[in-house]
Amino acid sequence: MNPPISKNSEVIDLTSRLRRTTPLGERRSTEDAGDLLARVARGDETAFTSFYDLIVERVHGVVLSVLRDPAQSEEVTQEVMVELWRTAPRFDAARGNALTWSITIAHRRAVDRVRSEQSHRTRDDREARLTGTAPAPDTGTEVINQLERQRVRAALAELTPPQRESIELAFFAGHSHAEVAALLGLPLGTVKTRIRDGLIRLRDRLELQP
Amino acid sequence: MSDEPTDPTPLSASGDLDAFAGLYALDALDGDELEHFETLLATDSELQAEVDSYRATAAALSDHVAAPPSAALRERVLAEVAATRQDAPLVVSQRRDPHGRASTERIERARPRSFATMLIAAALVLLAGVGGFILRNAGTTDTSQLAALLALPDTTVVELTDPAAATNVGRVVVNATTGELVVVSSSLEAVDDDRTYELWRLDETGATSAGTFRPTSGNVEFATKLALDGASGVAITNEPASGSDQPTTPILATAEF
């Protein structure tokens, strides 16, 4: 059984408050992704550079998780980061925070790439992709706070194995729910329920502000 | 396969829609299901809030797979950004001109003023599925009729298009058997007090009026019934408040059956 995560306000706030590491000798600064994005929306390229440093590991991580291929992942990550710059003026803070917005776009673009390419792939390639699962995490990031990472890992560990499996295939591997059902040999309704229930459990566990 | 432990109670009473919201938030819907869900989403702010919360959950999961890209990528991105123009912000403000008429003004960089540039990015919500983080008045609408219509097997969803700019401005949900039809749009602008939108049934002989409607809080969900036999589609124009027998202004949007 996993130890409960301490529910102090620092932990709860971590998702939207990303700590940025700076070289030795410089003062550490905590910049809020939302504040940076507000400046980016006004055309501030310096703010975008900081915003890039703050979120690119997550954006790239999600894209790589879905696409698997490093070269393609870099390509799509570049497209996503430029799209974030371009559409920042239309970001509506009332609808969600900067991280959610960024990852939503990243995941969507990665899945778009997979779905459009699947029609061009050979049968063998397609099957190879279908048997894949999410790549192993923990590839030595600089920015992501270890505490945040542990918190998410603990939340994922609290799902039932079927829930976690379905969410991993749908989100981390970018499969459609029909594909997930085919991979697991399950009815669509079962997959749908597992994903919904898993998400609700994660949502409660992570206590996020949308 | 072993039995699963009992799961937490679903949040919404309509558990099925809630499950679809979860799939949608994970980009796991495609095809017809995706289209139907997005049509519902366009006018259901509670459903949108549900999707938003699931998206926040999914975004937090990115911690689990975070991985740094190459240093070269950073240089490429920053170089491309320096050469990329940002989109104009979308702000709708209602102003009254000296004659007391309401006009909708957009704050944006210089652009040709066509219908297309007056779009509130409903296209993001209805098409791209990214979630449309846009400034949009939240309307509360009763989607049960629309949901019921979408559930019928002989219901189709067709694109509502601005013919001048060839851009999407909404959707038309139509049932082949009953002729029930619902126009769904988030991008038809508010009309002046002395004007209205009018829907036209189009066929070989021309246009017949199918009713008038006005947007509510930026949203349109106009339900009517048509004799579908021989109809080629529908069109929307801006008419005087009492309606017209025939279109008197250019067609703003059309949908083909």
Side-chain angles (χ1 to χ4, degrees):
Chain A
M1 207 166 80
N2 294 311
I5 297 287
S6 140
K7 294 194 179 188
N8 63 54
S9 56
E10 187 190 11
V11 173
I12 288 170
D13 214 28
L14 278 173
T15 303
S16 60
R17 204 155 277 279
L18 302 175
R19 212 165 281 271
R20 181 175 171 218
T21 59
T22 53
L24 286 172
E26 289 186 38
R27 208 161 49 90
R28 286 187 82 166
S29 64
T30 303
E31 288 184 276
D32 188 87
D35 293 341
L36 283 173
L37 189 56
R39 286 162 53 196
V40 171
R42 294 192 289 271
D44 185 340
E45 285 184 42
T46 307
F48 180 79
T49 305
S50 302
F51 184 71
Y52 176 97
D53 290 337
L54 218 46
I55 66 157
V56 75
E57 288 180 15
R58 292 166 197 242
V59 165
H60 179 250
V62 163
V63 168
L64 185 64
S65 177
V66 170
L67 293 182
R68 322 292 297 289
D69 176 73
Q72 270 201 43
S73 300
E74 292 237 335
E75 215 176 283
V76 172
T77 299
Q78 180 171 346
E79 287 170 16
V80 168
M81 294 309 302
V82 173
E83 181 176 344
L84 298 183
W85 158 260
R86 188 175 52 77
T87 61
R90 298 187 173 183
F91 167 67
D92 178 9
R95 285 277 309 281
N97 69 34
L99 178 70
T100 301
W101 177 71
S102 305
I103 299 303
T104 296
I105 289 174
H107 192 265
R108 180 75 252 177
R109 295 290 167 251
V111 168
D112 283 347
R113 175 70 68 109
V114 167
R115 304 250 166 100
S116 75
E117 295 212 334
Q118 259 172 356
S119 50
H120 300 302
R121 284 193 186 177
T122 65
R123 191 167 157 272
D124 290 342
D125 286 350
R126 209 174 291 151
E127 282 183 358
R129 216 194 95 73
L130 274 179
T131 55
T133 52
D138 218 4
T139 47
T141 101
E142 294 171 16
V143 171
I144 306 301
N145 189 300
Q146 284 308 309
L147 201 54
E148 293 169 35
R149 174 175 284 251
Q150 276 167 35
R151 182 167 160 251
V152 171
R153 188 171 302 155
L156 280 168
E158 287 198 4
L159 298 182
T160 67
Q163 288 168 354
R164 185 164 66 253
E165 181 181 48
S166 296
I167 287 179
E168 278 182 356
L169 287 172
F171 183 72
F172 292 115
H175 291 300
S176 72
H177 101 271
E179 287 173 346
V180 175
L183 275 169
L184 298 177
L186 292 171
L188 287 176
T190 306
V191 168
K192 201 167 63 174
T193 304
R194 287 181 184 185
I195 288 176
R196 190 267 316 276
D197 293 347
L199 275 177
I200 288 176
R201 208 172 265 199
L202 285 172
R203 184 173 65 183
D204 292 344
R205 196 70 185 77
L206 294 172
E207 287 179 299
L208 298 164
Q209 303 301 313
Chain B
M1 203 152 305
S2 59
D3 281 347
E4 294 179 37
T6 51
D7 293 310
T9 321
L11 220 59
S12 90
S14 105
D16 220 48
L17 215 52
D18 188 43
F20 275 112
L23 290 178
Y24 180 75
L26 299 188
D27 299 317
L29 279 187
D30 52 13
D32 283 347
E33 280 184 334
L34 176 62
E35 210 174 292
H36 283 188
F37 188 81
E38 283 181 330
T39 305
L40 285 175
L41 203 55
T43 54
D44 186 342
S45 52
E46 266 183 45
L47 192 59
Q48 183 66 67
E50 191 79 8
V51 165
D52 290 348
S53 77
Y54 286 139
R55 283 214 165 112
T57 305
L61 296 179
S62 62
D63 275 357
H64 192 57
V65 290
S70 68
L73 178 70
R74 189 177 189 272
E75 297 320 304
R76 291 200 298 275
V77 168
L78 295 182
E80 193 177 339
V81 156
T84 301
R85 189 180 145 177
Q86 289 182 306
D87 289 351
L90 290 167
V91 179
V92 177
S93 66
Q94 291 284 121
R95 305 243 180 125
R96 297 222 165 251
D97 71 10
H99 303 288
R101 286 173 306 198
S103 68
T104 307
E105 184 182 79
R106 270 210 201 321
I107 299 168
E108 58 180 70
R109 299 176 198 177
R111 270 189 200 187
R113 292 193 55 120
S114 69
F115 185 84
T117 66
M118 295 196 269
L119 288 181
I120 301 175
L124 283 176
V125 175
L126 295 177
L127 292 179
V130 174
F133 285 95
I134 53 175
L135 283 168
R136 163 155 85 89
N137 297 322
T140 51
T141 54
D142 172 22
T143 57
S144 55
Q145 179 191 8
L146 187 57
L149 197 60
L150 284 168
L152 297 174
D154 49 356
T155 294
T156 50
V157 181
V158 293
E159 301 282 321
L160 191 62
T161 313
D162 168 15
T167 52
N168 174 276
V169 301
R171 291 189 174 167
V172 175
V173 181
V174 55
N175 183 280
T177 307
T178 62
E180 284 174 86
L181 181 150
V182 183
V183 176
V184 177
S185 170
S186 306
S187 51
L188 287 174
E189 301 228 313
V191 286
D192 293 352
D193 291 343
D194 59 348
R195 310 287 299 179
T196 183
Y197 285 119
E198 191 155 2
L199 185 72
W200 304 95
R201 174 188 177 284
L202 303 175
D203 64 15
E204 282 181 346
T205 66
T208 329
S209 176
T212 59
F213 59 94
R214 303 164 68 87
T216 314
S217 307
N219 287 330
V220 166
E221 193 180 312
F222 172 62
T224 184
K225 229 176 192 181
L226 284 192
L228 289 177
D229 258 359
S232 59
V234 291
I236 296 175
T237 63
N238 180 308
E239 300 295 330
S242 52
S244 306
D245 291 332
Q246 286 292 290
T248 64
T249 66
I251 289 177
L252 298 173
T254 66
E256 269 175 68
F257 294 153

